[in-house]
Amino acid sequence: MEGKTLYSAAQPSGNLTIGNYAGAIRNWVSLQDGYDCFLAIADMHAITVRQEPALLRRRTLELVSLYLACGIDPEKCTLYVQSQVPQHAELTWVLNSVAYVGEMERMTQFKDKSRKHADNINMGLMDYPVLMAADILLYQTDLVPVGADQKQHLEIARDLAVRFNNRYGETFRVPEPYIMKEGAKICSLQEPDKKMSKSDENLNASVFLSDDRDTVIRKFKRAVTDSGNEIRASEEKKGVTNLLTIYAAFKNCTVAEAEREFEGKGYGDFKLAVGETVADALAPVQEEQRRLLADREYVSSFLKAGQERAFKAARRTLSKVYRKVGFYQGD
């Protein structure tokens, strides 16, 4: 809807998978024509887990270049790096005064990451949802695209907005979840009952947007299928269903159409066709990303423009917040 503000962010930590592309990035490309979109590279969130500084900087530029290569238009939306807009950290501190320790400790992601990184349970891990709330509320966001793993964080953002508004008067717009049109749910090639993940330790389980053609095809050839030889989608045939879903997503057809196309074919031909289709779709994106990365000044110019737009919008909200809480801002 025209005039509605939509906010989304992604961390520059690790390669994105074809699941991220089919389930999120392609949707953002279509949404930028109908909404006032703020798209952030969430590098402040990334450092809650130890990062190699030079690698984090490189991945930040790679992710920006990837977005541009996929069709994100910096003239239509505000694309920026989170750490370059200091109001994110400033609002987080204010929101900490209305956030409760108990609700942060109950967050699923905090508990999961604490188990995975038991040697680095830092305050940033616990405070992650408050920073995420600040990200969203800074831009008076109407809508936030959420997957199942982010619903809890959006609820915290809504709770903090309502709590702050009740205590200090109307300040924040209370964001609503944006339910994306049913995107392709792409699962692991090795464990098709699990979502494809960029952090999967099994390198054959995920197909990354940076994988070259041979690697993509090799991973699909090794993909888990099912007993029998019928190529059809069903609850009992999770491996084949996953491959049909991937093929349909990258061929822009329905799963039913894909089933008809492969009727009577063997699993070997089927897996090769899926791999080639994905590789063909990724090739122009990879080529454009390489071109963009070769011209860092060009990419940086888009980020600078995005930073300026984000800074102005964030400053308006933060000035209002500071007045409400009683911070002296001069006469």
Side-chain angles (χ1 to χ4, degrees):
M1 292 171 61
E2 202 67 42
K4 292 273 189 183
T5 298
L6 184 142
Y7 183 89
S8 193
Q11 293 186 39
S13 51
N15 291 326
L16 295 185
T17 71
I18 57 172
N20 300 126
Y21 176 70
I25 299 175
R26 285 204 306 197
N27 281 317
W28 296 341
V29 172
S30 61
L31 290 170
Q32 66 186 348
D33 286 318
Y35 295 88
D36 184 10
C37 293
F38 284 81
L39 300 178
I41 309 299
D43 54 344
M44 293 171 69
H45 286 290
I47 64 167
T48 57
V49 176
R50 291 194 186 102
Q51 302 287 339
E52 177 63 42
L55 185 57
L56 181 62
R57 282 190 288 271
R58 193 186 84 203
R59 283 178 168 168
T60 296
L61 272 183
E62 286 175 349
L63 186 53
V64 173
S65 300
L66 180 63
Y67 281 177
L68 295 174
C70 288
I72 296 295
D73 186 344
E75 300 294 327
K76 293 180 179 177
C77 64
T78 302
L79 177 62
Y80 70 100
V81 177
Q82 182 189 31
S83 63
Q84 293 186 337
V85 181
Q87 290 89 346
H88 284 262
E90 294 176 69
L91 181 57
T92 299
W93 182 252
V94 176
L95 291 180
N96 275 333
S97 68
V98 295
Y100 303 132
V101 172
E103 60 190 351
M104 295 300 109
E105 288 177 329
R106 288 193 295 273
M107 297 298 288
T108 302
Q109 197 170 72
F110 171 67
K111 290 188 282 190
D112 288 348
K113 285 196 172 182
S114 295
R115 280 194 292 270
K116 286 181 185 174
H117 306 280
D119 61 335
N120 185 30
I121 305 174
N122 57 73
M123 280 306 301
L125 273 180
M126 183 183 286
D127 212 29
Y128 187 106
V130 184
L131 175 57
M132 187 175 283
D135 297 340
I136 295 165
L137 300 180
L138 262 180
Y139 301 101
Q140 301 297 344
T141 300
D142 295 292
L143 298 164
V144 181
V146 287
D149 56 343
Q150 296 295 343
K151 284 180 182 174
Q152 198 181 27
H153 285 144
L154 180 58
E155 283 305 314
I156 284 289
R158 288 170 53 81
D159 290 346
L160 294 180
V162 169
R163 200 175 297 161
F164 189 97
N165 289 349
N166 288 341
R167 186 177 298 183
Y168 294 107
E170 203 64 30
T171 308
F172 296 117
R173 198 167 291 166
V174 180
E176 298 286 341
Y178 179 84
I179 308 303
M180 309 279 268
K181 66 180 181 182
E182 191 63 35
K185 185 188 176 187
I186 292 180
C187 297
S188 162
L189 297 187
Q190 296 300 313
E191 297 177 87
D193 55 341
K194 295 180 181 176
K195 184 178 174 183
M196 186 177 284
S197 170
K198 63 182 181 180
S199 57
D200 200 312
E201 291 180 4
N202 186 340
L203 294 179
N204 289 314
S206 302
V207 177
F208 300 106
L209 298 186
S210 57
D211 283 344
D212 62 38
R213 184 179 187 83
D214 289 344
T215 302
V216 171
I217 292 172
R218 185 178 70 249
K219 287 181 177 181
F220 276 104
K221 282 182 176 178
R222 294 175 179 175
V224 168
T225 48
D226 310 274
S227 58
N229 56 14
E230 192 179 5
I231 298 173
R232 63 177 176 81
S234 72
E235 186 59 32
E236 298 76 40
K237 297 174 76 68
K238 287 187 166 65
V240 168
T241 300
N242 186 39
L243 293 175
L244 282 167
T245 300
I246 293 169
Y247 184 81
F250 283 85
K251 198 75 171 180
N252 292 318
C253 66
T254 66
V255 169
E257 287 169 338
E259 286 177 324
R260 288 194 292 273
E261 184 177 340
F262 291 104
E263 191 174 352
K265 300 275 180 67
Y267 282 170
D269 289 341
F270 172 48
K271 291 196 284 187
L272 177 61
V274 179
E276 288 179 337
T277 297
V278 171
D280 288 345
L282 294 184
V285 172
Q286 293 170 344
E287 180 60 35
E288 178 64 5
Q289 186 187 26
R290 281 192 291 271
R291 187 188 71 79
L292 290 164
L293 283 171
D295 192 349
R296 290 178 58 161
E297 195 172 316
Y298 180 69
V299 174
S300 294
S301 69
F302 288 130
L303 284 180
K304 182 167 175 49
Q307 176 203 358
E308 289 171 356
R309 288 199 298 271
F311 184 91
K312 287 176 184 174
R315 185 173 57 188
R316 280 196 299 272
T317 296
L318 192 71
S319 296
K320 189 176 183 181
V321 169
Y322 276 9
R323 284 197 305 275
K324 291 292 182 79
V325 300
F327 287 169
Y328 178 71
Q329 297 182 79
D331 298 323

